[in-house]
Amino acid sequence: MIKHYATPPGHWQHHLEGVDVHQGVKCGNMIFVAGQVAFDPQGNLLFPYDLERQTRVCMENVQRVLAQFKATLADIVMVKTYYVGTGQEADWAPSIRVRQEFLGSPMPPSTGIPVPTLTYPGLMTEIEVIAMCD
């Protein structure tokens, strides 16, 4: 099966020497979007410790990656969200409200995974999706 990779122009990139990672891959009619975080094109964290605003940036990034494959948010069939928190509703509620703004109702199946920390100080969420298109 042929794989098509994409990273939108101006999207942040890993800054580790020798690391070449794309933000999405399409295989057949399935699209896998790598975990999106709230980084600017230079790799700087946006809105440290602000789950709601970071979620918005993540969903905008997801939208841009999907667009590289001529897909939209309506093509998403699964969402996986890692977020810093304890699993209490107050921890994840801001994220789910923003995701619903982007995805509508009913939302696709979603899994929320509370974690004690993410890769960078101040990073509150990482969102990955699977989409299917014709």
Side-chain angles (χ1 to χ4, degrees):
M1 182 165 293
I2 297 173
K3 297 177 188 172
H4 300 277
Y5 296 94
T7 296
H11 198 286
W12 62 272
Q13 293 291 322
H14 292 279
H15 296 291
L16 299 174
E17 189 173 326
V19 173
D20 183 19
V21 178
H22 290 280
Q23 298 300 321
V25 62
K26 183 176 182 186
C27 245
N29 67 342
M30 296 191 70
I31 300 169
F32 300 87
V33 177
Q36 297 299 299
V37 294
F39 287 167
D40 67 16
Q42 291 73 41
N44 301 306
L45 178 62
L46 299 170
F47 314 115
Y49 301 101
D50 187 331
L51 176 62
E52 184 174 342
R53 291 171 79 187
Q54 286 186 17
T55 299
R56 191 168 305 284
V57 173
C58 291
M59 292 305 297
E60 290 166 353
N61 286 341
V62 165
Q63 199 167 23
R64 279 194 291 278
V65 174
L66 289 173
Q68 294 292 290
F69 299 110
K70 297 182 175 36
T72 69
L73 296 173
D75 297 311
I76 293 174
V77 296
M78 181 67 185
V79 179
K80 189 181 296 179
T81 303
Y82 301 91
Y83 63 93
V84 175
T86 63
Q88 301 298 311
E89 183 176 345
D91 291 343
W92 54 262
S95 175
I96 201 162
R97 280 193 293 271
V98 170
R99 286 184 286 131
Q100 188 161 25
E101 284 177 33
F102 280 85
L103 300 172
S105 182
M107 288 198 299
S110 302
T111 301
I113 304 163
V115 295
T117 187
L118 287 165
T119 311
Y120 300 93
L123 182 60
M124 299 300 292
T125 191
E126 184 169 339
I127 300 173
E128 61 185 59
V129 304
I130 300 172
M132 294 184 73
C133 57
D134 296 330

